[in-house]
Amino acid sequence: MKIVFVGTGYVGLVSGVCFSEFGFQVTCVDKDKNKIALLKAGKTPIYEPGLEEMMHSNVEAGRLFFGESLSEALSDADVVFIAVGTPSRYDDGYADLSYVFAAAEEIARSRKDYILVVTKSTVPAGTGQKIAEVIRKANPNLDFDVASNPEFLREGSAIEDFMHPDRVIVGVEADRARELISELYRPLKVTNTPLLFTSVESAELIKYAANSFLATKIAFINEMADLCEKLGANIIDVAHGMGLDSRIGRRYLEPGPGFGGSCFPKDTSALAKMAEYAGTRTRIVEAVVMSNDLRKYHMAEKVFEACGGTLHDKTIAILGLTFKPGTDDMRDSASLVIIPELLRAGARVRVYDPQGMNEAKKLLAEGDITWCKNAYETMEGAEALVLLTEWNEFMRLDLQKVKKLLKIPLVIDLRNIYKREEMSRMGIRYVSVGRPPA
Ligand SMILES: NC(=O)c1ccc[n+]([C@@H]2O[C@H](COP(=O)([O-])OP(=O)(O)OC[C@H]3O[C@@H](n4cnc5c(N)ncnc54)[C@H](O)[C@@H]3O)[C@@H](O)[C@H]2O)c1
């Protein structure tokens, strides 16, 4: 079976590479010429552990191709996946579907005989119907089916998530389309992965509902962390005690600086709008969006207060810029709110991230920011250190060195990486999230 991916970003590239690993012939198409040139040169435009190696082996095996021309790639394809971006629409926060519809129209114009069009992009319920309308309008004689196959991979563990998913969701009406998709995911039968068939609308909504639920857990535990600070309780114990209840579960109960990334912020806001436009409200999700937006400002205030209520003329070292470790993705990262807030309050900022520096430089272009080469260089001459992303290399810092390099010394750990006792033993003032001071 021959597969084409339209859009070779995080999802299109990872899914395309993984389907080629399953043994299918895959062509990944992107309109970004630089991206395709990079991929043809054997380099991945994103940082994702294990991806480049898997890509090389499948290119060498003659199963994986890259190109700019969709019509060329589509000439003998059986299935085409739409994996283009669906960012937040600027004016109302709903999903911007213009890239999806443009891709659908291009598919329709490039094809003469039957094709299965599968949406992998995260799209609001009802989009499948609209894609079908776009295709019918562009090419009234084309025989086609539209299916929805939302993707649940997480950046940083994307290959593992694609190869060993908890489930595969497929929204499909026609039997022939169902058979094609079953064939595509046959390799996952070995691991007994549930393949859940639903209507197209249900599949589209499952993705938003799942992401919004996980985002709710994070926003909830962040608010519990604030409450712990007020009441002298410890969020680590509270989250552990909650998570041991199998109805709740332990995951996504780590407090931090607020969720970010390419999915949770835009998907929660799109779900709230989707409900509003459908004539109902998702007030819990609306509250999650607001709580998370405020959280990032609250974290900047936390730094401000820990530094004695003024940041004027103070230097703050920041370790971690990406929204989570294992990726170079900076989209909606808490650092993009916290750093400008610290700069506005008069601070000088020194920053380091193992993978996110190039992207961050584009997004944090203004202000007194020094871009450093490693964790210890970042701390040189700084009053305080803020730990923003829990990269492995920040987990075991040499605390003797940290103490020597920092002027106060003060560590503000927004990921609760360190034990309070080890910091107090070292004589380092330590502020964390939701835990009583050491
Ligand atoms: N990033 C994630 O972790 C993740 C996880 C699950 C689902 N998703 C969803 O998957 C979708 C894609 O996300 P992403 O992070 O991979 O996006 P991305 O922005 O990284 O990549 C999208 C790519 O599509 C290309 N593109 C846009 N229009 C095109 C066209 N007409 N023809 C060819 N190429 C085109 C762009 O150039 C870009 O390279 C989104 O809907 C997102 O919500 C993302």
Side-chain angles (χ1 to χ4, degrees):
M1 200 180 330
K2 292 185 179 168
I3 307 172
V4 169
F5 270 86
V6 191
T8 309
Y10 282 85
V11 165
L13 182 59
V14 171
S15 314
V17 169
C18 288
F19 273 124
S20 70
E21 181 76 11
F22 284 168
F24 298 109
Q25 185 180 309
V26 178
T27 305
C28 293
V29 176
D30 204 288
K31 62 180 184 180
D32 182 338
K33 288 191 175 111
N34 295 333
K35 213 174 248 190
I36 294 299
L38 211 60
L39 288 162
K40 281 186 171 169
K43 299 206 168 357
T44 51
I46 52 168
Y47 172 74
E48 184 59 49
L51 183 62
E52 205 157 279
E53 295 79 352
M54 192 181 271
M55 183 178 99
H56 287 163
S57 69
N58 284 287
V59 168
E60 271 162 33
R63 289 190 293 262
L64 181 60
F65 304 87
F66 301 103
E68 285 162 39
S69 165
L70 181 56
S71 56
E72 232 169 74
L74 271 182
S75 60
D76 59 349
D78 302 286
V79 182
V80 55
F81 281 90
I82 298 178
V84 300
T86 49
S88 275
R89 209 156 59 185
Y90 184 69
D91 50 353
D92 64 353
Y94 190 70
D96 177 354
L97 297 173
S98 55
Y99 302 101
V100 171
F101 294 144
E105 194 174 329
E106 216 182 324
I107 292 167
R109 291 195 197 287
S110 310
R111 191 70 190 192
K112 289 193 178 64
D113 48 2
Y114 177 78
I115 185 92
L116 171 60
V117 181
V118 188
T119 318
K120 237 197 198 310
S121 300
T122 302
V123 294
T127 305
Q129 300 271 7
K130 290 186 186 141
I131 291 175
E133 281 165 29
V134 169
I135 296 175
R136 268 194 294 273
K137 198 166 160 216
N139 186 351
N141 298 321
L142 184 66
D143 185 17
F144 69 96
D145 287 306
V146 171
S148 162
N149 173 217
E151 183 51 57
F152 295 91
L153 60 79
R154 293 161 302 166
E155 289 171 16
S157 55
I159 291 183
E160 173 65 18
D161 289 349
F162 191 95
M163 292 296 192
H164 302 103
D166 291 338
R167 77 306 203 190
V168 173
I169 303 289
V170 183
V172 69
E173 311 293 341
D175 288 343
R176 59 182 174 179
R178 181 190 298 242
E179 275 161 30
L180 274 173
I181 298 217
S182 301
E183 187 55 28
L184 278 179
Y185 282 107
R186 204 152 54 96
L188 294 184
K189 270 202 162 165
V190 184
T191 47
N192 285 326
T193 303
L195 188 56
L196 178 67
F197 287 104
T198 68
S199 70
V200 176
E201 290 77 11
S202 300
E204 290 167 337
L205 192 52
I206 285 168
K207 171 69 189 176
Y208 281 101
N211 270 3
S212 297
F213 192 80
L214 293 172
T216 303
K217 279 185 98 172
I218 296 172
F220 182 87
I221 208 67
N222 282 341
E223 291 191 352
M224 287 304 114
D226 287 349
L227 188 56
C228 283
E229 285 176 16
K230 294 284 181 209
L231 300 179
N234 186 333
I235 192 64
I236 306 293
D237 296 334
V238 172
H240 187 55
M242 282 173 65
L244 286 173
D245 184 329
S246 59
R247 294 170 302 176
I248 296 173
R250 297 182 195 195
R251 299 175 70 191
Y252 287 78
L253 287 182
E254 291 99 25
F259 59 75
S262 67
C263 290
F264 286 1
K266 82 171 174 60
D267 292 349
T268 44
S269 117
L271 179 62
K273 277 289 157 195
M274 201 189 311
E276 207 180 309
Y277 293 158
T280 181
R281 296 287 289 270
T282 47
R283 290 197 171 81
I284 293 173
V285 180
E286 286 172 25
V288 166
V289 172
M290 196 201 296
S291 169
N292 193 62
D293 286 349
L294 292 174
R295 176 94 191 148
K296 295 171 184 175
Y297 291 95
H298 180 44
M299 291 298 105
E301 274 161 32
K302 197 177 177 78
V303 176
F304 185 78
E305 276 165 27
C307 290
T310 175
L311 287 174
H312 191 69
D313 242 8
K314 286 191 177 145
T315 302
I316 308 295
I318 308 257
L319 290 185
L321 298 169
T322 52
F323 78 99
K324 68 170 176 180
T327 180
D328 56 355
D329 202 338
M330 284 291 301
R331 287 178 277 188
D332 274 315
S333 176
S335 65
L336 297 178
V337 172
I338 296 171
I339 292 173
E341 282 299 297
L342 302 184
L343 292 169
R344 228 188 312 280
R348 286 182 295 270
V349 175
R350 296 172 67 80
V351 301
Y352 169 69
D353 187 281
Q355 294 293 336
M357 299 287 266
N358 288 341
E359 274 309 299
K361 279 179 189 168
K362 296 179 208 159
L363 299 164
L364 291 164
E366 284 166 29
D368 195 343
I369 303 178
T370 307
W371 303 89
C372 302
K373 290 194 187 67
N374 59 53
Y376 298 110
E377 187 193 311
T378 315
M379 290 176 234
E380 280 169 18
E383 265 81 12
L385 165 66
V386 179
L387 287 159
L388 211 46
T389 317
E390 68 278 34
W391 283 94
N392 276 341
E393 63 181 78
F394 306 151
M395 296 286 193
R396 287 256 142 263
L397 290 170
D398 177 341
L399 296 182
Q400 294 274 15
K401 231 167 156 176
V402 172
K403 187 179 177 189
K404 226 174 175 173
L405 289 168
L406 294 177
K407 282 194 201 151
I408 292 184
L410 164 64
V411 171
I412 301 160
D413 180 358
L414 300 183
R415 296 287 182 174
N416 287 346
I417 298 171
Y418 286 90
K419 291 200 171 82
R420 292 167 302 158
E421 298 73 23
E422 60 186 328
M423 287 288 178
S424 75
R425 259 200 313 273
M426 289 301 303
I428 297 175
R429 236 188 92 212
Y430 181 65
V431 174
S432 59
V433 179
R435 297 187 291 173

